[in-house]
Amino acid sequence: FESDEYMSTDPTNETHVIRLYRAYLGRFPSDDEIGYWSVELQSNRQTTDSLIDIFAASQEFTDRLNAFF
């Protein structure tokens, strides 16, 4: 998320949120989820790094991992 190559595409907060959902939870977020997390990023209450931590610590991610292992 911080590489020059990725940032050169000028991603939006919405793009970050969608990609995190796809990468960590294996699904597309709802419009409400996109809106909520995008506002959190925009207001600087969260950062991309903190969202990664939140998603990685989520029960949904844990359940997804347990399904594979």
Side-chain angles (χ1 to χ4, degrees), residues 13-68:
N13 287 333
E14 291 83 4
T15 301
H16 290 314
V17 171
I18 292 167
R19 289 180 177 161
L20 286 170
Y21 267 84
R22 295 291 295 143
Y24 282 86
L25 305 181
R27 65 179 178 86
F28 286 98
S30 69
D31 290 342
D32 288 342
E33 290 166 327
I34 294 170
Y36 176 80
W37 291 115
S38 295
V39 168
E40 291 294 297
L41 290 169
Q42 181 64 36
S43 66
N44 294 315
R45 286 188 293 265
Q46 298 292 339
T47 64
T48 302
D49 286 343
S50 67
L51 285 188
I52 289 169
D53 292 341
I54 290 167
F55 280 53
S58 73
Q59 187 62 50
E60 187 174 354
F61 181 64
T62 299
D63 292 345
R64 185 168 187 242
L65 287 180
N66 287 336
F68 288 110

